[in-house]
């Protein structure tokens, strides 16, 4: 039986999942937190529809889909720029709009970004697993059967309390600065020449990417002590270097341990920006201290809070 209040997926892109604020506290059991790859965009989307920032919404890679609801709701799409329409009438990203029962919402392809977010007022209320509705694809935990969503799926929704569309009073902007990294924990596996290449030559994301990790293209990174270590802990942002010499950056669903040396870790303030870079976009690394990375994260959190504080009702 169809739930009284649900989101119907009529068509969707190849990698659409349910993600909330993440499943924390289980890394020691081998389960990474999941949650949104771009948590800032997810928080903004939820706030635009009157949800709590960690409520469950849809995350999509590159292409959204076509949707209907069984009750009137608010929706918002963030993460990047993309074409949105309701029954053929265009709408804009980064603000919320009313979607009425029976209308068809189409979310197109992202431009200049990889990860998009569709938040619906009331949030998606599938059954939590280990305290979270986030989908962890590698283990099949959470979301809807722990899997990628598909046409025909029905997702239960909570009840939104506010149907007034909202918009950002100040845009959410991403820096174009180099991606900052902190050396270690196996930075001594790499000689000065390799470090010079890492910091002086451009890299770019490749199509080999998903919610777990992204492989980078650039100068070959060689570990003179070898590319195998006794497995130790990893975290989101770890830069592993396998025998191919192509760096691998772990993201939301990244494994909790790994046997490749890690030359550095992406500063948390820059990881979302790197994850959103389209394939082939060139960037450079800059090495900073752990203290500097902490300061950057605090600054980024303050900037996001400032943007969230500007959310206002749309006078239109």
């Amino acid at each position: 039986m169809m739930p009284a209040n649900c989101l119907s997926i009529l068509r969707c892109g190849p990698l659409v999942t349910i993600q909330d604020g993440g499943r924390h506290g289980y890394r020691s059991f081998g389960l990474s937190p999941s949650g949104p790859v771009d948590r800032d965009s997810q928080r903004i989307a939820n706030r635009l529809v009157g949800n709590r920032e960690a409520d469950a919404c849809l995350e999509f890679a590159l292409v959204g889909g076509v949707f209907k609801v069984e009750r009137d709701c608010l929706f918002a799409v963030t993460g990047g720029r993309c074409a949105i329409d309701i029954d053929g009438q265009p709408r804009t990203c980064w603000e919320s709009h009313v979607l009425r029962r029976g209308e068809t919402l189409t979310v197109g392809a992202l431009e200049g970004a990889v990860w998009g977010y569709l938040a619906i007022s009331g949030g998606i209320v599938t059954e939590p697993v280990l305290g979270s509705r986030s989908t962890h694809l590698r283990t099949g935990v959470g979301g809807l059967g722990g899997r990628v969503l598909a046409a025909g799926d029905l997702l239960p929704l909570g009840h939104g309390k506010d149907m007034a569309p909202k918009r950002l009073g100040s845009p959410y902007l991403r820096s174009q600065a180099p991606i900052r990294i902190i050396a270690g924990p196996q930075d001594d596996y790499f000689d000065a020449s390799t470090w010079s290449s890492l910091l002086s030559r451009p890299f770019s994301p490749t199509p080999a990417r998903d919610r777990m990790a992204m492989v980078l293209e650039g100068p070959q990174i060689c570990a003179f002590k070898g590319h195998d270590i006794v497995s130790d802990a990893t975290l989101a942002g770890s830069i592993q270097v396998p025998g191919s010499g192509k760096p691998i950056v772990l993201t939301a669903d990244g494994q909790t341990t790994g046997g490749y040396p890690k030359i550095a870790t992406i500063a948390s303030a820059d990881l979302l920006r790197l994850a959103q870079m389209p394939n082939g976009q060139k960037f450079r690394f800059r090495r900073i201290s752990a203290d500097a990375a902490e300061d950057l994260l605090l600054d980024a959190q303050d900037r996001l809070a400032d943007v969230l504080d500007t959310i206002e009702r749309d006078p239109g």
Side-chain angles (χ1 to χ4, degrees), residues 285-301:
F285 287 119
R286 177 181 296 166
R287 181 173 175 173
I288 62 173
S289 67
D291 287 344
E294 290 183 10
D295 290 340
L296 285 173
L297 180 58
L298 293 175
D299 289 344
Q301 291 172 340

Side-chain angles (χ1 to χ4, degrees), residues 26 37 56 76 109 113 139 149 156 162 175 178 193-194 212 247 292 297:
Y26 299 95
V37 175
T139 58
L149 300 177
D162 184 359
S175 167
S193 174
T194 299
M212 181 178 179
L297 180 58

